[in-house]
Amino acid sequence: ELKVEQNPLFLSMQEGKNYTIYCNYSTTSDRLYWYRQDPGKSLESLFVLLSNGAVKQEGRLMASLDTKARLSTLHITAAVHDLSATYFCAVGDSNYQLIWGAGTKLIIKP
Amino acid sequence: NAGVMQNPRHLVRRRGQEARLRCSPMKGHSHVYWYRQLPEEGLKFMVYLQKENIIDESGMPKERFSAEFPKEGPSILRIQQVVRGDSAAYFCASSRGLAGYQETQYFGPGTRLLVL
């Protein structure tokens, strides 16, 4: 059974700092997604990672995938307040279901 | 191009009543997924549908819950005889093709169900 673990679950940081969110998963998968959710809102797709070594960047966010280690990272560079949100990773199972991490609640203080 | 639409956005029901949640997928999308999200948790898969077919309902409780995606009209998630534990946010997502082939799922705004 595929399990997905994110850490940390809560992160409070200052603007301008760098930090990384980790997503570990337990069995082989060919796709991993990162989503952002603002309080009371829906989920916004950030990145889709499909192969070992894949790296994608959008603004201050960069996601990478290591399929051998079954690990994805979401790196935040020089954080700004607007990035405060909850970030989820979701991993595709052998069929079509997405198995979700519990989410990382990120608070960025001015 | 309108995104995934869900209504109502908020729904309050008393225990024992029925809740009907609607989802209209993005234009050109024929695959619909329903998820449930409890507070401070990730999403849990409930059911996957294509037009007129339930493909996978393994995440949906056997009792009181049902889903459909008719040929015409939105997908409906129906919860009969609601209980307090049904209170959650219910999200619908759609994709153009089968999500197992690396299609991105696009999410609606969700329906927040509160059972009193």
Side-chain angles (χ1 to χ4, degrees), chain A residues 9 11 21 27 39 42-43 52 59 66 68 78 97-98 105 110:
Chain A
L9 298 182
L11 178 58
I21 299 170
T27 63
S42 187
L43 292 100
N52 188 42
D66 181 343
K68 293 179 181 176
Q97 292 189 25
L98 293 182
K105 187 171 185 177

Side-chain angles (χ1 to χ4, degrees), chain A residues 30-31 33 35 37-45 48 50 88 95-103 105, chain B residues 9 33 35 37 40-43 45 48 55-56 58 91 98-100 102-105 107-110 112:
Chain A
D30 61 355
R31 61 202 189 282
Y33 304 80
Y35 284 85
Q37 185 180 37
D38 291 296
K41 305 289 186 183
S42 187
L43 292 100
E44 174 191 356
S45 175
V48 181
L50 302 175
F88 291 95
N95 295 312
Y96 32 69
Q97 292 189 25
L98 293 182
I99 310 300
W100 294 74
K105 187 171 185 177
Chain B
R9 297 288 303 275
Y33 315 82
Y35 294 86
Q37 183 182 34
E40 310 298 325
E41 293 188 13
L43 278 69
F45 168 81
Y48 161 44
I55 307 301
D56 181 355
S58 61
F91 288 96
L98 177 59
Q102 302 166 353
E103 290 268 347
T104 295
Q105 295 182 23
F107 283 80
R112 273 118 186 118

Side-chain angles (χ1 to χ4, degrees), chain B residues 22-68:
Chain B
R22 295 174 186 76
C23 169
S24 296
M26 283 180 70
K27 187 177 180 180
H29 288 193
S30 59
H31 300 253
V32 166
Y33 315 82
W34 284 94
Y35 294 86
R36 177 163 63 180
Q37 183 182 34
L38 296 172
E40 310 298 325
E41 293 188 13
L43 278 69
K44 296 288 192 294
F45 168 81
M46 297 182 73
V47 61
Y48 161 44
L49 310 104
Q50 292 183 35
K51 284 285 187 183
E52 299 184 278
N53 287 305
I54 297 174
I55 307 301
D56 181 355
E57 55 183 351
S58 61
M60 199 156 66
K62 298 283 188 287
E63 307 285 332
R64 302 188 296 107
F65 285 73
S66 63
E68 63 177 10

Side-chain angles (χ1 to χ4, degrees), chain A residues 25 28-33 47-56 63-73, chain B residues 102:
Chain A
Y25 54 100
T28 301
S29 173
D30 61 355
R31 61 202 189 282
L32 187 143
Y33 304 80
F47 301 108
V48 181
L49 301 167
L50 302 175
S51 60
N52 188 42
V55 177
K56 292 195 174 179
S64 65
L65 178 62
D66 181 343
T67 58
K68 293 179 181 176
R70 296 178 189 155
L71 171 68
S72 179
T73 60
Chain B
Q102 302 166 353

Side-chain angles (χ1 to χ4, degrees), chain B residues 83-94:
Chain B
V83 300
R84 287 214 175 108
D86 296 333
S87 296
Y90 292 84
F91 288 96
C92 166
S94 73

Side-chain angles (χ1 to χ4, degrees), chain A residues 71-91:
Chain A
L71 171 68
S72 179
T73 60
L74 180 66
H75 187 73
I76 303 146
T77 303
V80 294
H81 179 67
D82 286 353
L83 291 179
S84 296
T86 299
Y87 293 85
F88 291 95
C89 67
V91 181

Side-chain angles (χ1 to χ4, degrees), chain A residues 12-17 79-82 84 107-110:
Chain A
S12 178
M13 55 194 291
Q14 296 290 128
E15 276 192 329
K17 299 289 188 184
V80 294
H81 179 67
D82 286 353
S84 296
I107 295 176
I108 299 169
K109 301 176 183 177

